[in-house]
């Protein structure tokens, strides 16, 4: 299947993001036109403070857009009820859990909340989906442990499993490799790549691991001071987009290797 024929899960048109106050409107980025296609791993990258988290918060309705449109599965994002949105989009944040006293199984089961009845009883289908999510993230050996017993890398896999159990078309992760060492950064992003292919879900993540994202992503969304551009990593390299991310005096981008280097 070519990318042209893939279903568009999320689309923005003329989107402007930022903050409003009584005194002024602070525009972080504008004229954002991106398409997130089904079954793709998409990396959102850019320098610190460029607005990656603001874009994710806007896409996930945590904050309102300043202007423009966001469509999810062909419907305006604002038309979704809370429950309908929770069945279409799941979110993995970097914030600490409110209660790490939950078991791994209990935490993953919370992903089924949009589908359970008012007392939260799990059906056989719910349990099957939970078990599948556990298998897909390779954490069967952890499911009876308490969350406070887990390492950062293990906990991140559990949070991804909870998002899988929520069974949404779109999974959004804000800095999923924060606090992880290089091995576990690569492991988590490789896992996300595998899950996008196996489940045909659209997975969007923000990251500072640009070199890894270039190697693993189907599509990348790059935020610069001037624009937001979305394309395949190869096309972005050819267009010289990555060379504009950081000041030239210290950091350079090697198009041949697809990686950044410190200038001597």
């Amino acid at each position: 299947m070519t990318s042209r024929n893939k279903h568009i899960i999320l689309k923005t048109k003329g989107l402007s993001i930022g903050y409003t106050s009584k005194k002024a409107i602070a525009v972080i980025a504008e004229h954002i036109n991106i398409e997130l296609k089904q079954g793709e791993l998409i990396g959102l990258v850019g320098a610190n403070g460029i607005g990656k988290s603001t874009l994710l918060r806007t896409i996930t309705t945590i904050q309102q857009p300043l202007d423009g449109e966001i469509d999810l599965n062909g419907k305006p994002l604002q038309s979704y009820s809370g429950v309908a949105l929770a069945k279409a989009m799941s979110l993995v944040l970097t914030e600490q859990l409110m209660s790490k006293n939950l078991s791994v199984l209990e935490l993953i089961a919370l992903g089924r909340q949009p589908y359970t009845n008012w007392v939260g009883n799990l059906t056989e289908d719910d349990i099957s989906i939970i078990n599948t999510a556990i298998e897909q993230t390779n954490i069967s050996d952890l499911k009876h442990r308490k969350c406070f017993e887990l390492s950062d890398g293990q906990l991140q896999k559990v949070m991804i499993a909870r998002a899988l159990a929520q069974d949404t078309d779109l999974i959004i992760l804000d800095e999923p490799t924060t606090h992880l060492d290089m091995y576990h950064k690569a492991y988590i992003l490789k896992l996300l790549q595998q899950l996008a292919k196996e489940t045909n879900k659209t997975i969007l993540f923000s990251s500072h691991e640009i070199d890894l994202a270039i190697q693993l992503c189907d599509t990348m969304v790059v935020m610069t001071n001037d624009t937001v551009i979305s394309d395949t990593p190869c096309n972005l390299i050819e267009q010289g987009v990555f060379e504009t991310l950081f000041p030239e005096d210290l950091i350079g981008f090697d198009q041949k290797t697809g990686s950044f280097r410190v200038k001597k």
Side-chain angles (χ1 to χ4, degrees):
M1 180 185 295
T2 65
S3 61
R4 290 182 180 179
N5 296 326
K6 288 182 179 177
H7 173 59
I8 296 172
I9 298 297
L10 186 137
K11 180 178 182 178
T12 69
K13 183 178 180 181
L15 179 66
S16 293
I17 59 173
Y19 303 90
T20 58
S21 66
K22 293 181 180 179
K23 296 182 179 180
I25 297 175
V27 178
I28 303 298
E30 55 188 345
H31 310 305
I32 303 172
N33 301 292
I34 59 175
E35 295 180 351
L36 309 185
K37 296 184 176 68
Q38 185 176 28
E40 288 194 345
L41 178 65
I42 303 131
L44 170 62
V45 301
N48 280 339
I50 203 71
K52 298 187 297 296
S53 293
T54 304
L55 178 55
L56 291 188
R57 283 195 295 268
T58 305
I59 288 175
T60 56
T61 72
I62 294 174
Q63 69 184 69
Q64 293 298 307
L66 299 180
D67 197 10
E69 303 171 9
I70 305 173
D71 288 344
L72 180 60
N73 279 326
K75 294 170 51 181
L77 190 61
Q78 67 268 23
S79 71
Y80 281 78
S81 67
V83 172
L85 186 62
K87 292 180 179 180
M89 177 192 300
S90 51
L91 181 60
V92 179
L93 298 172
T94 54
E95 281 83 357
Q96 292 293 315
L97 290 174
M98 293 297 291
S99 175
K100 285 192 175 183
N101 202 41
L102 293 172
S103 72
V104 166
L105 189 58
E106 289 169 337
L107 179 58
I108 296 171
L110 291 177
R112 298 305 299 163
Q113 278 189 334
Y115 307 92
T116 58
N117 58 32
W118 65 276
V119 287
N121 289 337
L122 296 173
T123 66
E124 289 185 7
D125 284 343
D126 292 322
I127 294 170
S128 176
I129 291 170
I130 291 166
N131 287 331
T132 298
I134 289 172
E135 292 171 5
Q136 288 171 328
T137 48
N138 306 310
I139 55 172
S140 297
D141 57 327
L142 301 178
K143 64 181 180 180
H144 297 302
R145 292 175 61 180
K146 294 290 188 179
C147 289
F148 68 78
E149 299 176 314
L150 305 181
S151 68
D152 289 335
Q154 289 171 329
L155 185 58
Q156 191 59 263
K157 287 191 285 185
V158 172
M159 298 300 291
I160 292 169
R162 184 178 74 169
L164 288 172
Q166 198 170 326
D167 197 20
T168 58
D169 289 330
L170 175 61
I171 298 175
I172 297 178
L173 306 97
D174 186 17
E175 298 286 354
T177 58
T178 299
H179 309 308
L180 303 184
D181 60 29
M182 181 55 69
Y183 174 84
H184 288 93
K185 289 178 191 292
Y187 183 97
I188 291 296
L189 295 187
K190 187 69 177 176
L191 174 63
L192 295 178
Q193 181 195 47
Q194 176 184 331
L195 291 172
K197 291 179 178 178
E198 290 182 351
T199 66
N200 209 29
K201 295 181 184 299
T202 303
I203 302 179
L204 169 67
F205 70 96
S206 63
S207 180
H208 292 107
E209 310 304 324
I210 304 175
D211 289 1
L212 286 173
I214 288 172
Q215 296 178 59
L216 298 173
C217 288
D218 299 294
T219 300
M220 293 181 67
V221 179
V222 183
M223 299 187 72
T224 71
N225 289 322
D226 302 317
T227 187
V228 178
I229 184 170
S230 177
D231 210 330
T232 65
C234 287
N235 287 343
L236 292 168
I237 289 172
E238 290 177 1
Q239 295 164 26
V241 172
F242 296 113
E243 296 168 18
T244 67
L245 287 183
F246 304 106
E248 295 180 359
D249 61 328
L250 186 60
I251 300 292
F253 183 78
D254 188 335
Q255 288 197 2
K256 292 181 180 179
T257 62
S259 61
F260 290 89
R261 67 187 188 281
V262 177
K263 292 185 175 180
K264 296 181 179 179

